[in-house]
Amino acid sequence: MAAIQARSRRIGGDLVPGCTRPGAVAEGNGVPEKNAHLNRLAERTMSTDHQRLRIDRMTPGYWKVTLSNPPINLYDPEMFAELRVLMDQIEEDKDIKVVFDSADPDYFISHYDILRRDVLPDMPGSAPFSEWPTFVTRLAQSRVISIAKVRGRARGHGSELALACDMRFASCEKAICAQIEVGCGAVPGGGATEWLTALAGRSRALEIIVGADDFDAITAEKYGWVNRALPDAELDGFVDNVARRIASFEKRPLELAKKLVNARAGIPSEAERWSSNQSFFTTTTWPETQALIGEMLQKGLQQRSDFELRMGHYVVHLRRKNETT
Amino acid sequence: MAAIQARSRRIGGDLVPGCTRPGAVAEGNGVPEKNAHLNRLAERTMSTDHQRLRIDRMTPGYWKVTLSNPPINLYDPEMFAELRVLMDQIEEDKDIKVVFDSADPDYFISHYDILRRDVLPDMPGSAPFSEWPTFVTRLAQSRVISIAKVRGRARGHGSELALACDMRFASCEKAICAQIEVGCGAVPGGGATEWLTALAGRSRALEIIVGADDFDAITAEKYGWVNRALPDAELDGFVDNVARRIASFEKRPLELAKKLVNARAGIPSEAERWSSNQSFFTTTTWPETQALIGEMLQKGLQQRSDFELRMGHYVVHLRRKNETT
Amino acid sequence: MAAIQARSRRIGGDLVPGCTRPGAVAEGNGVPEKNAHLNRLAERTMSTDHQRLRIDRMTPGYWKVTLSNPPINLYDPEMFAELRVLMDQIEEDKDIKVVFDSADPDYFISHYDILRRDVLPDMPGSAPFSEWPTFVTRLAQSRVISIAKVRGRARGHGSELALACDMRFASCEKAICAQIEVGCGAVPGGGATEWLTALAGRSRALEIIVGADDFDAITAEKYGWVNRALPDAELDGFVDNVARRIASFEKRPLELAKKLVNARAGIPSEAERWSSNQSFFTTTTWPETQALIGEMLQKGLQQRSDFELRMGHYVVHLRRKNETT
């Protein structure tokens, strides 16, 4: 079953007028080295067939952005580089509503591509990681209205991208949400702890994060992780309707209404983002975490495998030093 | 089907001893001119057959207040004036539990009567608007326990009155909740942004407010907008049971328990109320908003029309300058 | 139907090495008199067959703690004394995940044993009451991951123990949650107001606390009072799976993840705990409250009676001075 509808106009990664250089806006924010690296990545992929984002301008004010990185829609530095270019574009335009979906019905975003450390100049504090919490907060605070349409697995960065969107709608049959970091010896960064605690409350956030299991869309809806779980056959139509409806409204009340909700709901603060992200970095350097990731790679991590499809199941069957079962 | 049960004792708008002058308590709060206007409105309607609130004293401590303003239960300055008198009465009595319902099964409260600007001395900052956020906060902070029994549409001020009540129960078949302001070029005032963000979380509050659509009771229950959605045939009995039960309890623990919940949950602050309300005022003066309202009036707004019944549907079919679909 | 599964290893109340004296850790916290009293209670019960907690070490890192105090699983000073010893043990061990369940399928914990005032040196400020809010906060802040498996009634202290656990799973058919204090003339202490307001939102917390009725597990799940309601036949397997899964994970990311969630979600503060607890104490001394409790004792309170089984029903049929129905 096709996850992507026929496109009215395929425009791909072309840039809007006034924003011809990838990452131009973000370049001056004090981390020129890292951003320059990301900008080069974006320039490289977006000039080829390997671009990660496919942009359909459904209407002038409603863009559909399809995440596509075969074979399992890993989030990688190139995808992040293109996401940052996209943000520059839609913020420049000032009147865009954006729907994120995926080209792969099994994976919204599987998770971060942990084998792409080679391209990162200074892991683990490199731009694709350390800029990620900044990016998701920027998306949440933007005047852009963003919607995640989740089919397939949204784990790690995938869950975090969806959580930073203003709304999330998920396929009852096909969506799986997970923050599986604790099962791999790490803790979530990128806002997951902040968003989930606010949306699902302390106890369900603990179940999600400490239990580190896969959650179906019905449970994710109960927990507030997604706005709604919809039958897969209705998902595209429902989300398209919401996006077109919002895109038809005047931009001034939209912008003001979002600002007021953000002011009341609270967006993760700089301090919260920094501390969560530092926690994530630190845990990834622990030897037990490194050992677990090594074993996971042998068992099918990052491949089109049953391990990736059912990671919540397999993560409890790893060899651990504190084996207690 | 009758929305109102047979009344045990119909007492109408008569005043309790010790509070014989409408609005007496509130008169000294620094806006005498506005409140005098409201008091005159209350005196005028309550001495005639046109009173907006019908009060049934089910027991000495449990009053049912039925909102009635044919043809579509618009909230107007007279209804607000009578609500303020009611608050004076029940706070004077110190031991009242109040259930709000509507005489019209299609409309709990449709929305503010925008054609009643003529009676307002200094729109848009006039008393019925600027005092509204103060009133709903007063209701939430009062020792009175308040319950909204929602049948029909609760949009705008109707949703906000229900949200300020301590609890809300809605008919599965007949209730519709909406904050449709953004679809009309405005943003909600009167506490909607504050309550919905706290009850439904950021993403669902954004869906409600930015999406500006009608929501059925089942979805409103999922989102925490109402406590429970109940089959219409069970709604009256359920709410009556809750109200009688609470009315039978001692008033001291009731008052203390509500104070403690309010302290923990947080009631919208003066600053929040003021800024949301100013935002609402400002948006209503925008020319695009005025143009939209003009078109809506031509299409059936404020009348017993299909437009009012399905406003969430019709609001996307208005002519807009930023037409993008 | 047996509420407790066959035990792999029954070890009862024996102490872990390094913590051989009950309450040793807590003794120095400035209330030596009260804690000495609790320690003596724990020493007395744990050396006999009357111990209230049965501890099954399912794995070295996963303990099942079964609450057992026939005939109706009342929470009494001895149970509290043993709970404090348990906390000392599992915090000393640093790697325990604990599941609380009950030996009685009708009662998780019925409520506090109000007839045990004789053993309390300085009621109502005595240790088993005044230390309770401190204990539940300690459980929430501990590195221990705690899960409540709720079968039967969890009222008062029972609901509060479950709420202080990191997660709660309840039997669809057998669990009943209630904070019935207001119906008895008192208000909840022990964190109920704080947790319920955060988990269920203001309006549902008010319905629970001010309505003072029994809630089934399905409604408790809707309100976030429990993480999930599960068919009774699946409850044991589900909870056992969650506990084993978490117990298999590394302790460092678990501890850090819980700390981060706690930091974002907020744990009731000392000031909040103190003020709620003082409110509870005060209300229990009111003459109308004392009169109600006296009548309840005559009608079956604290006995294996229909009154205890359906207390939410019976509490509205007490004689009250402010009788209004």
Side-chain angles (χ1 to χ4, degrees):
Chain A
M1 175 187 162
I4 312 177
Q5 298 177 297
R7 295 201 161 86
S8 47
R9 280 200 297 155
R10 167 66 63 91
I11 333 185
D14 62 346
L15 303 177
V16 296
C19 186
T20 51
R21 202 157 49 86
V25 171
E27 203 163 1
N29 69 0
V31 279
E33 173 68 24
K34 291 168 184 175
N35 289 348
H37 175 67
L38 282 168
N39 293 345
R40 281 193 300 274
L41 285 181
E43 281 171 354
R44 198 183 305 157
T45 62
M46 293 168 69
S47 60
T48 70
D49 285 342
H50 303 301
Q51 63 192 48
R52 307 299 193 259
L53 306 189
R54 299 181 193 159
I55 300 174
D56 292 302
R57 300 186 185 178
M58 310 295 283
T59 75
Y62 159 28
W63 293 10
K64 191 151 72 73
V65 177
T66 302
L67 307 158
S68 178
N69 189 22
I72 59 165
N73 247 11
L74 286 163
Y75 168 101
D76 62 9
E78 286 80 2
M79 186 181 281
F80 183 50
E82 290 185 32
L83 280 169
R84 290 175 70 253
V85 173
L86 173 75
M87 275 304 290
D88 294 343
Q89 293 175 345
I90 58 185
E91 293 216 314
E92 183 80 12
D93 189 281
K94 294 185 180 171
D95 194 25
I96 303 300
K97 287 81 205 172
V98 62
V99 170
F100 290 99
D101 68 2
S102 62
D104 186 334
D106 290 330
Y107 295 98
F108 177 75
I109 290 178
S110 50
H111 52 76
Y112 186 77
D113 183 349
I114 59 167
L115 296 178
R116 288 300 307 284
R117 300 180 180 199
D118 55 295
V119 304
L120 307 181
D122 54 350
M123 265 288 292
S126 69
F129 275 135
S130 66
E131 292 291 305
W132 177 241
T134 304
F135 173 82
V136 293
T137 308
R138 182 182 171 201
L139 180 60
Q141 285 175 325
S142 165
R143 65 160 62 83
V144 175
I145 304 290
S146 55
I147 302 175
K149 181 170 72 177
V150 181
R151 269 201 185 82
R153 284 127 197 97
R155 298 198 188 102
H157 277 64
S159 167
E160 290 162 16
L161 175 62
L163 283 165
C165 285
D166 296 325
M167 307 167 211
R168 293 163 293 292
F169 302 100
S171 162
C172 287
E173 297 94 328
K174 291 180 179 292
I176 288 175
C177 298
Q179 297 286 160
I180 225 146
E181 288 85 346
V182 166
C184 313
V187 297
T193 303
E194 288 74 27
W195 296 121
L196 287 172
T197 304
L199 290 165
R202 176 180 179 271
S203 293
R204 287 168 169 173
L206 280 169
E207 183 189 346
I208 293 167
I209 292 171
V210 169
D213 208 344
D214 290 331
F215 287 74
D216 60 38
I218 303 290
T219 308
E221 183 193 74
K222 275 186 191 168
Y223 286 19
W225 198 340
V226 299
N227 285 45
R228 306 194 194 201
L230 291 142
D232 195 76
E234 297 173 20
L235 181 64
D236 291 329
F238 181 89
V239 172
D240 191 63
N241 179 55
V242 172
R244 284 182 191 275
R245 153 173 208 106
I246 297 172
S248 79
F249 294 155
E250 283 67 25
K251 65 185 171 191
R252 286 206 292 178
L254 284 172
E255 182 176 352
L256 181 56
K258 180 168 171 179
K259 271 190 204 305
L260 285 165
V261 170
N262 278 348
R264 305 307 181 233
I267 299 293
S269 70
E270 178 75 25
E272 287 178 328
R273 286 191 282 115
W274 188 87
S275 72
S276 291
N277 212 40
Q278 285 303 112
S279 298
F280 170 70
F281 288 157
T282 302
T283 54
T284 59
T285 65
W286 287 345
E288 63 266 39
T289 310
Q290 295 287 330
L292 286 169
I293 291 171
E295 189 190 346
M296 291 169 75
L297 285 168
Q298 291 178 334
K299 291 194 167 175
L301 187 70
Q302 310 242 129
Q303 302 161 37
R304 198 148 188 106
S305 64
D306 198 57
F307 187 91
E308 279 282 356
L309 286 173
R310 301 195 295 141
M311 202 186 300
H313 166 75
Y314 282 109
V315 81
V316 287
H317 295 100
L318 302 174
R319 284 186 303 274
R320 293 171 193 271
K321 289 188 178 166
N322 61 338
E323 193 73 58
T324 57
T325 46
Chain B
M1 176 186 160
I4 311 178
Q5 297 177 299
R7 294 203 162 85
S8 48
R9 279 199 298 155
R10 167 66 62 89
I11 333 183
D14 63 346
L15 302 177
V16 297
C19 185
T20 51
R21 206 156 48 87
V25 171
E27 203 164 1
N29 69 0
V31 278
E33 173 69 24
K34 291 170 184 172
N35 290 348
H37 175 66
L38 283 167
N39 293 346
R40 280 193 301 274
L41 286 180
E43 281 170 356
R44 198 182 306 158
T45 62
M46 293 168 70
S47 60
T48 69
D49 285 343
H50 302 301
Q51 63 193 47
R52 308 298 194 259
L53 306 188
R54 298 180 192 160
I55 300 174
D56 292 303
R57 299 186 185 176
M58 310 296 282
T59 76
Y62 158 29
W63 293 10
K64 190 150 73 72
V65 178
T66 301
L67 307 159
S68 178
N69 189 22
I72 60 165
N73 248 10
L74 286 164
Y75 168 100
D76 62 9
E78 286 81 3
M79 186 180 282
F80 183 49
E82 291 185 32
L83 281 168
R84 289 175 71 251
V85 173
L86 173 74
M87 275 304 290
D88 294 344
Q89 292 175 345
I90 58 185
E91 291 216 317
E92 184 79 10
D93 189 281
K94 293 185 181 170
D95 195 24
I96 303 300
K97 286 78 205 172
V98 60
V99 169
F100 290 99
D101 67 3
S102 61
D104 186 334
D106 290 330
Y107 295 98
F108 178 75
I109 289 178
S110 51
H111 51 75
Y112 185 76
D113 182 349
I114 59 167
L115 296 178
R116 287 300 305 286
R117 299 182 182 196
D118 55 297
V119 304
L120 306 181
D122 55 348
M123 266 286 291
S126 69
F129 275 135
S130 66
E131 292 291 304
W132 177 242
T134 303
F135 174 82
V136 294
T137 309
R138 182 182 170 200
L139 180 60
Q141 284 175 328
S142 165
R143 66 158 65 80
V144 175
I145 303 291
S146 55
I147 302 176
K149 182 171 73 177
V150 182
R151 270 201 184 82
R153 282 128 195 96
R155 298 198 187 103
H157 277 64
S159 167
E160 290 162 17
L161 175 62
L163 283 164
C165 284
D166 296 326
M167 307 168 211
R168 292 163 295 291
F169 302 101
S171 161
C172 286
E173 297 93 330
K174 289 181 179 292
I176 288 175
C177 298
Q179 297 287 160
I180 225 146
E181 288 84 347
V182 166
C184 313
V187 297
T193 303
E194 288 73 28
W195 295 122
L196 287 172
T197 303
L199 291 164
R202 175 180 179 271
S203 292
R204 287 169 169 172
L206 281 169
E207 184 190 346
I208 292 167
I209 292 171
V210 168
D213 208 344
D214 291 330
F215 286 75
D216 59 38
I218 303 289
T219 308
E221 181 193 76
K222 275 187 192 169
Y223 286 19
W225 198 341
V226 299
N227 285 45
R228 304 194 195 201
L230 292 143
D232 193 76
E234 297 173 22
L235 181 63
D236 291 328
F238 181 90
V239 172
D240 192 62
N241 180 56
V242 172
R244 284 181 190 274
R245 160 175 201 102
I246 296 172
S248 79
F249 295 156
E250 283 67 25
K251 65 185 171 190
R252 285 205 292 178
L254 283 173
E255 182 176 351
L256 182 55
K258 179 167 171 179
K259 272 191 205 302
L260 285 165
V261 169
N262 277 349
R264 305 307 180 232
I267 300 293
S269 70
E270 178 75 25
E272 286 176 331
R273 286 191 283 115
W274 189 88
S275 72
S276 291
N277 213 39
Q278 285 303 112
S279 298
F280 170 69
F281 288 158
T282 303
T283 54
T284 59
T285 64
W286 287 344
E288 63 264 41
T289 309
Q290 294 287 331
L292 286 169
I293 290 172
E295 188 189 348
M296 291 168 77
L297 284 167
Q298 292 179 331
K299 291 193 167 175
L301 188 70
Q302 309 243 130
Q303 303 161 38
R304 197 146 188 108
S305 63
D306 199 58
F307 187 90
E308 278 284 355
L309 286 173
R310 301 195 294 141
M311 202 186 300
H313 166 75
Y314 283 109
V315 80
V316 287
H317 295 100
L318 302 174
R319 285 186 303 275
R320 294 171 193 272
K321 290 188 177 165
N322 63 337
E323 193 71 60
T324 57
T325 46
Chain C
M1 176 186 163
I4 312 177
Q5 296 178 300
R7 297 203 159 84
S8 48
R9 279 200 299 154
R10 165 68 61 93
I11 332 183
D14 63 346
L15 304 177
V16 297
C19 183
T20 51
R21 204 157 49 87
V25 171
E27 204 164 1
N29 69 0
V31 279
E33 174 68 23
K34 291 170 184 172
N35 290 348
H37 174 66
L38 283 168
N39 292 346
R40 281 194 300 275
L41 286 180
E43 279 171 355
R44 198 182 307 157
T45 61
M46 292 169 70
S47 61
T48 70
D49 285 342
H50 302 300
Q51 63 192 46
R52 307 297 193 259
L53 307 188
R54 299 182 193 157
I55 300 173
D56 292 303
R57 300 186 184 177
M58 309 296 283
T59 75
Y62 158 30
W63 293 10
K64 190 150 72 72
V65 178
T66 302
L67 307 159
S68 178
N69 189 22
I72 60 164
N73 247 10
L74 286 163
Y75 168 99
D76 63 7
E78 286 80 3
M79 186 179 282
F80 183 49
E82 291 185 32
L83 281 169
R84 290 174 70 253
V85 173
L86 173 75
M87 275 305 290
D88 294 343
Q89 292 176 344
I90 57 185
E91 292 216 316
E92 184 79 12
D93 189 280
K94 295 185 179 172
D95 195 24
I96 303 300
K97 285 81 205 172
V98 61
V99 170
F100 290 99
D101 67 4
S102 62
D104 186 334
D106 289 330
Y107 295 98
F108 178 74
I109 290 178
S110 50
H111 52 77
Y112 186 77
D113 182 349
I114 60 166
L115 296 178
R116 286 301 306 284
R117 299 182 181 197
D118 56 295
V119 305
L120 306 181
D122 54 350
M123 264 287 291
S126 69
F129 274 136
S130 65
E131 292 291 304
W132 177 241
T134 305
F135 174 83
V136 293
T137 309
R138 182 182 170 201
L139 180 60
Q141 285 175 326
S142 165
R143 65 160 65 80
V144 175
I145 303 290
S146 55
I147 302 175
K149 181 170 72 178
V150 182
R151 267 200 187 83
R153 283 125 195 97
R155 297 198 188 103
H157 276 65
S159 166
E160 290 162 16
L161 175 62
L163 282 165
C165 285
D166 296 326
M167 306 168 211
R168 292 162 295 293
F169 302 101
S171 162
C172 286
E173 297 93 331
K174 291 181 179 293
I176 288 176
C177 298
Q179 296 287 160
I180 225 147
E181 288 83 349
V182 167
C184 314
V187 297
T193 303
E194 288 73 28
W195 296 122
L196 287 172
T197 303
L199 290 165
R202 176 180 178 272
S203 292
R204 286 168 168 172
L206 280 170
E207 183 189 347
I208 293 166
I209 292 170
V210 169
D213 208 344
D214 290 331
F215 286 75
D216 60 37
I218 303 290
T219 308
E221 181 192 77
K222 274 187 193 169
Y223 286 18
W225 199 340
V226 299
N227 285 45
R228 305 194 196 201
L230 292 143
D232 194 75
E234 297 174 20
L235 181 63
D236 291 329
F238 181 90
V239 172
D240 191 64
N241 180 55
V242 172
R244 285 182 189 274
R245 154 173 205 105
I246 297 173
S248 79
F249 295 155
E250 284 68 24
K251 65 185 171 191
R252 286 206 289 177
L254 284 174
E255 183 177 351
L256 182 55
K258 179 168 171 179
K259 271 190 204 302
L260 285 165
V261 169
N262 277 348
R264 303 308 180 231
I267 299 293
S269 70
E270 178 74 24
E272 286 177 330
R273 285 191 282 114
W274 188 88
S275 72
S276 291
N277 212 40
Q278 285 302 112
S279 298
F280 170 70
F281 288 158
T282 302
T283 54
T284 59
T285 65
W286 287 344
E288 63 264 41
T289 310
Q290 294 287 330
L292 286 170
I293 290 171
E295 189 190 345
M296 291 168 76
L297 285 167
Q298 292 179 333
K299 292 195 167 175
L301 188 70
Q302 308 243 130
Q303 302 161 39
R304 197 147 189 106
S305 63
D306 199 57
F307 187 91
E308 278 283 356
L309 286 173
R310 301 196 294 140
M311 202 186 300
H313 166 74
Y314 283 108
V315 82
V316 287
H317 295 100
L318 302 174
R319 285 186 303 275
R320 293 171 193 271
K321 290 188 178 165
N322 63 337
E323 191 74 57
T324 57
T325 48

